[in-house]
Amino acid sequence: AYYVSRVEDVCVVDDVLAVEGEEYDLEEFEGYSMEKDELESVVGSPWKLRLRLADEEGRGMQIHCRMSEDYLDIRKGMNVVGILLSTSREFVKLAAMTDFCVLDAVGGPVWVGDYPYLDKDKFLRTLGENGIADSLVDIIYDDNDYYEEEEEEEEFYDDDDDSRDDDYDSDDNNLEEEDTGMLQKLK
């Protein structure tokens, strides 16, 4: 089954068992690269990305994978699609999940996961063929209000740093055009 969701939170942890107070903001990892992972060089284990996802019905999921520079532009509110597997038709218990695709990341889709389970091109084509891309385009148009609310919150909490607000504004102004452009290609 497809799991169509939204990023509720994104952060970095040193261990998958880390509690909320042991999480690091993704912004703290600007300039990060897998080749120069300081944690891995010191303790032998790399930094991990933690994504908290939730679908329209409020069902949530938390996933972890090795941190990558590809993940630095993932933000709260972005749309995510993956495939969930279960041994029951009712999906009472999950048996496995695939890598996830963050569709509206700046610059095109970002694939999150330690191992590429899916044929990425075929998966994106299938999303276009079965109408999921159409519904996500509608969601993104509706999400512009969500992103505008995020912008207002950012401005409220960050009165002293106008440069950050400018960066945030410029990213949001391009969001609709970039997101829908990538999804239109799926159709």
Side-chain angles (χ1 to χ4, degrees), residues 72-111:
L72 294 173
D73 293 325
I74 296 174
R75 297 289 179 262
K76 181 179 176 181
M78 290 184 167
N79 295 296
V80 180
V81 179
I83 295 180
L84 303 179
L85 305 174
S86 177
T87 55
S88 72
R89 293 176 87 67
E90 295 79 27
F91 280 79
V92 176
K93 184 176 179 181
L94 294 179
M97 61 186 170
T98 65
D99 34 342
F100 287 83
C101 182
V102 181
L103 291 167
D104 47 346
V106 175
V110 172
W111 294 88

Side-chain angles (χ1 to χ4, degrees), residues 1-186:
Y2 289 107
Y3 182 68
V4 179
S5 59
R6 175 179 295 179
V7 175
E8 291 291 311
D9 188 33
V10 57
C11 60
V12 179
V13 294
D14 61 355
D15 186 292
V16 295
L17 300 176
V19 295
E20 199 166 316
E22 299 170 340
E23 298 172 338
Y24 299 90
D25 289 334
L26 190 59
E27 289 82 18
E28 294 179 45
F29 285 77
E30 184 178 327
Y32 171 88
S33 76
M34 290 174 66
E35 291 177 12
K36 298 177 182 176
D37 189 312
E38 294 173 12
L39 183 66
E40 186 171 28
S41 65
V42 173
V43 300
S45 177
W47 289 104
K48 289 139 190 84
L49 179 77
R50 175 179 284 172
L51 277 181
R52 289 188 185 97
L53 308 173
D55 66 10
E56 288 180 347
E57 296 177 20
R59 295 174 294 198
M61 175 181 295
Q62 179 173 284
I63 60 173
H64 297 93
C65 63
R66 180 189 175 129
M67 181 60 188
S68 167
E69 53 271 22
D70 295 340
Y71 306 150
L72 294 173
D73 293 325
I74 296 174
R75 297 289 179 262
K76 181 179 176 181
M78 290 184 167
N79 295 296
V80 180
V81 179
I83 295 180
L84 303 179
L85 305 174
S86 177
T87 55
S88 72
R89 293 176 87 67
E90 295 79 27
F91 280 79
V92 176
K93 184 176 179 181
L94 294 179
M97 61 186 170
T98 65
D99 34 342
F100 287 83
C101 182
V102 181
L103 291 167
D104 47 346
V106 175
V110 172
W111 294 88
V112 177
D114 285 330
Y115 185 81
Y117 294 100
L118 298 174
D119 177 330
K120 296 172 183 179
D121 292 332
K122 186 172 183 178
F123 180 75
L124 293 174
R125 271 194 316 274
T126 303
L127 289 179
E129 292 168 359
N130 64 20
I132 290 180
D134 290 335
S135 65
L136 288 174
V137 168
D138 293 339
I139 289 170
I140 289 171
Y141 280 119
D142 293 341
D143 283 351
N144 285 329
D145 293 336
Y146 175 84
Y147 288 112
E148 288 170 10
E149 290 171 16
E150 287 288 312
E151 178 181 332
E152 290 170 10
E153 287 178 23
E154 181 74 18
E155 289 173 358
F156 176 77
Y157 290 112
D158 196 17
D159 290 337
D160 297 336
D161 186 2
D162 293 335
S163 65
R164 187 168 177 205
D165 289 342
D166 292 342
D167 291 343
Y168 193 82
D169 291 344
S170 65
D171 288 345
D172 283 347
N173 289 338
N174 296 325
L175 185 63
E176 178 180 323
E177 182 179 312
E178 291 172 0
D179 295 345
T180 56
M182 195 289 301
L183 290 171
Q184 293 295 336
K185 292 177 189 174
L186 297 177

